[in-house]
Structures are given as structure tokens and as C-alpha cells.
Amino acid sequence: MIGVWLATALADPGALTTGQGDVSTEVGLHERSVAVRNLGTLPDLGVSMYDRSALTVSAGWRAPTTAAPWRAEWSGTVGATALLIQPGMAISATGGISAGRFGDRSVWAAGLVVPLVVGTTVHPLRLPALLALRTDVALGPLWLGLRLRTGPVWTPGAGLSAAVEPALSIGVGGERAGTPRNEPLTAPETSR
Amino acid sequence: MWWMFLFGCTPEPVVLQAPDPVRTGMEGEDGPFGAGRLTVHAQARVLERLSYAVYFPADDSGDPHPDLTAVPVVAWVQGGLVPAAQYEWLPQHWATRGFVTVVPDHEFDLAITQPSNAPLALDHLLCEQPFGELTTDRSPLGLGGHSLGGVVAAIDWASNPDIAWLLMAASFPAAGTPVEDRAGPVLGLVGDQDGLLTPDEMRDETLRFRDLTFGVQTGMNHFGWTGDGSGGEGTEDGPLLGDLPTLHAQIHTFVDASMDAHLLGDTDAAARLEQPFVGFE
């Protein structure tokens, strides 16, 4: 069972952009993901599987606007996607911003994420604009979280469709939620 | 076998019904061909998996019938929150009469979330031709849907002039759908016991179609369009007054005549459409 889970729990930009901890995974309705962060000079890295039909390897980063718990956070990823049902390739690029409270033991945030994909298949472009809600709670060394991303997807040749992606998130290790990337873990929090 | 799970390879066809040359395909009876079903997966909207069932006329061994070429292809759109498989009684019957039907899945069984799945499935089937010459780009195209599925089907029909025939089953076009802008035969059917859409409401809304044939079935309710009449729990649907197989056979008679007339160019069927059908006002 664990083997099956690991085989399908490859990663998506979601885990890369909103996961907590050095290693995190998201298991959603369509996407399964794993992300690894704090790799020194390397960017954060992630892998995602979408609907057993697309496998993406991505690099990404996050940029908090401040060290304060109440803040906004920009995120971005770029990746290469292998299309699996009708073999092909695609390039993905995700931009997002979320704002909320990024505390030591919990995170509550809402934002907008645009995971653009340009492909070589019959549909050359996929352009979603998604509302992204997230909450995470620290339990010992683990971060447990809930995600919901929903919004319209525009695909030339296929018109508009709706995306609804609820997901569970698990993270472990490393950074604390209230600590911006590349800042020391002991950095003081200026407000609560 | 794990890779089959991972990549969703297409399974083998399922034989639903054996051929029988004694069956005439008239008066609501099944046709002489067998019926098979194949589940197909396609890449859609770059990343997504589009799954759809294909119902096809089959031979003794369950393979696509070798004597048929470029047969009409109909896409069927499920009603809201009704599993697509609940409508199998329709495409299985159509397969025995020599028609191919594609029935796409939709997120949460709500076609409005992915309104282009039916034309995407049609395009994929005609492009990939998994049945060889059975379906080609010369195949006449039809579209149909029940309830919310009909609303979505009307959107696709209005924007795609290649679709030659439309079936609206207890359904009507949404206010913003420009169905007045194109011609083409449309069959609208509703039951007089439908508690979600009365015949008067449907007639008023579907009169926007330029070439509408309209029928009101006695004893039929809204969810009688599903295979076992289920799906209406918790709704204000009316009672089903009559035996469901009999009601379905009456629908087959009316729909078969319309399909034959408009997708096969059968002039006798066109003449039958001018006459009253048993069970319909």
C-alpha cells in the first residue's frame, strides 16, 4: 500500500509553493506531489502527477514580503511536463501570491495562483486562474494542512472549464512557518 | 500490472449484447447488431484525463462489426449528479441499430464543469479511429443530453455546425445559448409527470430552436430517463405512471425515427415523424 502511495504521490507546483517543512507532500483529488526545500544554493524542487496523465518536474521559490507573521508571500515555479496518455511534452510556469497569517504553529492564508501550461498536444495552452485557500497546523515535527484551489480554466479549443482541487498536505522538518526562507530560524517576529 | 494503473491503459471491450438477425430495430425493438462498450482515455486540456465510454455495433465475437463503415456517431451528456452509466439503455440500443455513441465522464457528474467534454470525445474518437473504418470523418454527428446534460449539449450544438442532430431529453437551452443562430433538426421530449420541468415550460424554452419536433410522453417523469428510474431522491419529481421498459420502448420508437431521418437520411423515418407516436401527445 505504501508502495502504491509513493508511486502516485509524485509532486505538483502546489506542494512546491505552499508546502511546509523541508519535505512536504500533497495528495489531492487530481494531483499528488512531493517537494523538497532548503537545498542550499539550489531552488526548491518538486515532482507532480496530475490525473495519472501528466508528470511534472519543477523548480521553485517563495519570497515573503516581510518576516512578520501577517504578510504576503510570492511564489513561482517553472517545470517540464511529460504527457502520458497521448505522449507529448509541455512547459509549466506557476505564479502565485498568498496573504494571511504565517505563525510558528499555524498558517492561514488565501491567495491567487496561475499555473500556466504550454504543451505540444491538440490543446497547446492551459490557463487556470485559481483561488487558493490553505491552512496548516504543527503537530510535533509534522505540519498537517488542508488546501483548496478552485477557479476557471481556459483552454483554447476547449473553452472554459472549472477546476476544483481539494488536497491534504503533510510536511516535516526544517523551516518554521513564521520564518521566511533564507532567514535564520531565530529571527524575531515583529508582531502577533 | 502497476503500470496499467499508473497510465490508465485502455481496457478490453465489454460485450453487452449478442447480435440477432431476427431483431428488426423497428417500433422500439433492438436492431440486429450486437452491442459492445469500450472505455477510452484521452489527453485533454493539456494535463487532464478525459475518459469516455464508446458504445458500438458488434459482431459475434464482440468486435466492431466489420460490415459497417462511417456510421453516425452520437455524443450523450449525462444529467446533473446522475452517473453516466445510468443512461446505458440508450446507447446500447442505438449500438444494436448500427450507431456509435460516446458518453464522456464529467467532474462530480456535473457536465457544466467541463462543458466541452462531449465534442472533445467526438473529436478524439474520429481522429484516433480506434474502430478503423467504423467511424471516420464522414460519420454524421449527433448530440443529446438529459436535464443539465441537455443544457450543455445545446451549448455545444449551437457552436458546432458539424453536429447534424440534437436530442433534448427533459431539458432546454440556457438563456444565453444562441440556438436561434443556426438551423438543424432538434427533438425535444419530456414527460407529463416531470416534476422538475413541466411540458409547458420546456415547450416555451425550446421554441427558440428553428426546427423543433416536440413530444410529451404520458406517464413519464424526470428521472425515468435513467436506466432504472432512480436519481430523483430528494427532488420534487413526479410519479412514474407506467412500466419503465414500456416507457423506454416508446422513447426508442420516437428517437429511432428521428435519428434515422436526420442522421441516415431515411425518408420513411422522416414520414413517420409526421405521424403520432404511441405514448406521446
Side-chain angles (χ1 to χ4, degrees):
Chain A
M1 193 63 200
I2 292 175
V4 171
W5 183 80
L6 286 174
T8 56
L10 304 169
D12 87 317
L16 201 54
T17 54
T18 61
Q20 291 295 137
D22 283 345
V23 179
S24 62
T25 183
E26 276 190 24
V27 179
L29 184 64
H30 298 285
E31 280 185 327
R32 285 86 192 272
S33 61
V34 168
V36 182
R37 273 175 290 280
N38 299 329
L39 298 172
T41 57
L42 293 175
D44 301 345
L45 299 175
V47 185
S48 72
M49 177 70 90
Y50 191 97
D51 260 355
R52 292 179 287 141
S53 58
L55 177 67
T56 301
V57 178
S58 302
W61 62 92
R62 290 186 287 189
T65 54
T66 172
W70 289 98
R71 65 172 187 253
E73 202 171 80
W74 294 95
S75 62
T77 74
V78 293
T81 298
L83 306 175
L84 304 176
I85 297 176
Q86 288 168 280
M89 292 298 296
I91 301 297
S92 64
T94 302
I97 184 171
S98 59
R101 189 175 193 286
F102 295 77
D104 281 346
R105 307 299 297 172
S106 66
V107 174
W108 306 85
L112 177 72
V113 62
V114 180
L116 171 74
V117 186
V118 179
T120 60
T121 58
V122 62
H123 298 137
L125 173 68
R126 173 186 174 87
L127 181 58
L130 308 178
L131 170 70
L133 305 174
R134 59 175 288 202
T135 180
D136 294 270
V137 175
L139 289 176
L142 296 178
W143 282 95
L144 303 180
L146 296 173
R147 306 279 185 272
L148 176 64
R149 282 182 286 165
T150 184
V153 178
W154 179 63
T155 309
L160 282 174
S161 59
V164 180
E165 182 68 11
L168 298 172
S169 173
I170 302 173
V172 64
E175 89 191 58
R176 291 194 327 235
T179 306
R181 179 171 160 73
N182 299 328
E183 294 290 334
L185 287 176
T186 54
E189 295 184 354
T190 54
S191 65
R192 286 282 177 182
Chain B
M1 297 293 281
W2 65 271
W3 57 271
M4 291 188 68
F5 169 75
L6 190 63
F7 298 120
C9 290
T10 301
E12 292 294 308
V14 175
V15 178
L16 300 172
Q17 195 169 344
D20 183 350
V22 174
R23 295 192 304 246
T24 64
M26 301 298 289
E27 300 299 324
E29 187 183 351
D30 288 338
F33 304 112
R37 183 188 64 220
L38 179 70
T39 301
V40 176
H41 304 291
Q43 198 91 38
R45 302 181 189 89
V46 186
L47 297 182
E48 293 179 21
R49 166 183 297 254
L50 168 64
S51 298
Y52 63 92
V54 186
Y55 296 83
F56 59 90
D59 63 11
D60 284 323
S61 61
D63 293 327
H65 203 288
D67 296 341
L68 299 173
T69 58
V71 303
V73 183
V74 175
W76 178 259
V77 186
Q78 65 194 117
L81 302 177
V82 179
Q86 279 277 25
Y87 298 96
E88 189 162 272
W89 66 279
L90 279 169
Q92 179 174 336
H93 169 76
W94 296 340
T96 66
R97 300 187 74 253
F99 294 77
V100 167
T101 307
V102 297
V103 183
D105 289 341
H106 297 89
E107 187 93 303
F108 308 119
D109 287 331
L110 290 171
I112 200 67
T113 63
Q114 296 167 313
S116 56
N117 274 11
L120 291 179
L122 278 175
D123 287 347
H124 184 260
L125 180 78
L126 297 178
C127 181
E128 295 295 318
Q129 290 189 269
F131 303 122
E133 292 298 307
L134 182 65
T135 59
T136 75
D137 56 8
R138 293 178 286 111
S139 294
L141 302 181
L143 191 54
H146 172 230
S147 194
L148 177 64
V151 176
V152 170
I155 295 171
D156 297 329
W157 176 87
S159 61
N160 190 338
D162 292 336
I163 295 174
W165 176 79
L166 175 65
L167 170 59
M168 299 288 285
S171 184
F172 59 86
T177 305
V179 296
E180 308 90 341
D181 292 353
R182 65 158 290 191
V186 177
L187 176 62
L189 300 178
V190 66
D192 67 356
Q193 298 301 310
D194 194 317
L196 278 68
L197 178 65
T198 68
D200 286 344
E201 289 170 336
M202 180 166 165
R203 183 183 287 108
D204 290 346
E205 297 289 348
T206 51
L207 282 176
R208 294 199 290 127
F209 289 111
R210 291 192 206 172
D211 184 10
L212 174 71
T213 302
F214 188 73
V216 179
Q217 188 178 19
T218 303
M220 186 63 156
N221 65 4
H222 194 77
F223 288 97
W225 281 90
T226 63
D228 58 4
S230 66
E233 298 81 5
T235 72
E236 297 179 351
D237 198 10
L240 196 63
L241 302 182
D243 173 55
L244 193 58
T246 300
L247 294 169
H248 283 177
Q250 292 170 353
I251 289 173
H252 284 325
T253 305
F254 205 152
V255 174
D256 290 348
S258 187
M259 294 173 82
D260 290 353
H262 300 301
L263 294 175
L264 297 177
D266 184 333
T267 53
D268 290 341
R272 286 202 301 279
L273 285 174
E274 301 298 323
Q275 306 300 319
F277 284 85
V278 172
F280 285 86
E281 303 170 13

